[in-house]
């Protein structure tokens, strides 16, 4: 148990669906992240939030829309995804953006049909 | 661009020692991290090196040479539960997120 909880663990969606991924951390951290993990590729940073403000958007397509209502919760809203978006989506948090230790959730395994 | 290289897969025998290497060519350097990720689970922090040398933590040790852009993770007395992916990650500067390598999948066999 890392203190970072992601739901759902698995998600199958069609290309026209709208769905949301949820992340919650109970560690009192101020920075939260979304990463994409595809087979045989490095972890790809998608978004960074520091004290609820988005500080980094790593050229992510607009069909991925993040939301951070408070420092403990992070969402990733998905709309009109493509099959190549199928991957493991990992949420992480850290005490601050310049803190070295990331705590990851177990991820959402997403399949886009 | 940033480049971090690790072997894709390694196999080692239970009870043995294995060394997983990581080389990096990056525009900055402010620390190197190793994470362990079991299949279907969250990556978990193993070690952090910012100065040259060896850091030992139980069965796991991590080494860094900044001049060579090189690190390794050393696992001793391998156990079956050590079968996992090992991710090398570099922090480029003080307040930038980590850049990850592709990870090394280690299989421990009897």
């Amino acid at each position: 148990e890392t203190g970072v909880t992601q739901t759902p663990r698995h998600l199958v969606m069609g290309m026209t669906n709208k769905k949301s991924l949820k992340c919650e951390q109970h560690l009192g951290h101020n920075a939260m992240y979304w990463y994409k993990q595809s087979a045989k590729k490095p972890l790809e940073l998608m978004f960074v939030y520091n004290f609820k403000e988005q500080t980094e958007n790593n050229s992510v397509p607009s069909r991925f829309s993040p939301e951070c209502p408070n420092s403990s919760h992070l969402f990733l809203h998905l709309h009109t995804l493509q099959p190549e978006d199928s991957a493991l989506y990992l949420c992480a948090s850290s005490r601050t953006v310049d803190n070295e230790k990331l705590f990851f959730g177990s991820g959402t395994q997403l399949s886009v049909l | 661009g940033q480049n971090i290289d690790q072997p894709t897969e390694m196999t080692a025998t239970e009870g043995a020692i294995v060394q997983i290497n990581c080389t990096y060519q990056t525009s900055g350097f402010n620390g190197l991290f190793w994470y362990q990720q079991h299949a279907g689970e969250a990556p978990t922090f193993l070690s952090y090196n910012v100065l040259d040398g060896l850091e030992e933590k139980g069965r796991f040790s991590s080494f860094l040479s900044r001049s060579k852009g090189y690190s390794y993770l050393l696992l001793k007395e391998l156990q079956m539960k050590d079968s996992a992916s090992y991710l090398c990650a570099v922090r480029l500067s003080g307040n930038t997120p980590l850049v990850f390598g592709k990870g090394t999948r280690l299989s421990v066999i009897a």
Side-chain angles (χ1 to χ4, degrees), chain B residues 24 29 49-55 63-67 70:
Chain B
Y24 61 91
F29 181 84
N49 295 69
V50 65
L51 300 176
D52 288 353
L54 187 68
E55 297 270 349
F63 171 83
L64 175 67
S65 169
R66 288 173 299 172
S67 62
Y70 168 66

Side-chain angles (χ1 to χ4, degrees), chain A residues 13 15 17 19 36 46-47 60-66 76-85 89:
Chain A
M13 59 187 290
M15 289 190 284
N17 291 158
K19 296 287 184 183
K36 177 182 178 182
M46 300 175 73
F47 301 104
V60 180
S62 59
R63 57 186 184 268
F64 295 92
S65 174
L76 188 63
H77 303 300
L78 315 173
H79 178 50
T80 59
L81 294 191
Q82 305 299 310
E84 59 265 28
D85 297 323
Y89 289 85

Side-chain angles (χ1 to χ4, degrees), chain A residues 2 9 33 35 37 40-43 45 48 56 88 90 97-107, chain B residues 8-9 33 35 37 40-45 48 87 91 93-103:
Chain A
T2 63
R9 289 296 305 273
Y33 312 76
Y35 281 89
Q37 189 174 37
K40 301 183 179 180
K41 288 187 177 181
L43 273 173
L45 179 66
V48 181
E56 193 146 341
L88 181 67
L90 289 164
V97 167
D98 58 0
N99 184 263
E100 62 269 16
K101 197 168 174 179
L102 289 177
F103 291 76
F104 285 90
S106 297
Chain B
T8 304
E9 293 185 8
F33 303 80
Y35 283 81
Q37 185 180 21
E41 296 184 15
T44 54
F45 173 86
Y48 169 59
L87 310 177
R91 183 179 298 287
S93 64
N95 62 352
T96 56
L98 301 182
V99 178
F100 282 84
K102 294 181 181 181

Side-chain angles (χ1 to χ4, degrees), chain A residues 21-65:
Chain A
L21 311 184
K22 180 182 176 182
C23 177
E24 184 174 1
Q25 55 96 1
H26 312 278
L27 302 168
H29 289 170
N30 295 304
M32 296 189 78
Y33 312 76
W34 280 115
Y35 281 89
K36 177 182 178 182
Q37 189 174 37
S38 304
K40 301 183 179 180
K41 288 187 177 181
L43 273 173
E44 300 173 49
L45 179 66
M46 300 175 73
F47 301 104
V48 181
Y49 278 82
N50 192 32
F51 292 94
K52 303 189 299 177
E53 299 298 320
Q54 187 180 121
T55 58
E56 193 146 341
N57 175 338
N58 221 22
S59 303
V60 180
S62 59
R63 57 186 184 268
F64 295 92
S65 174

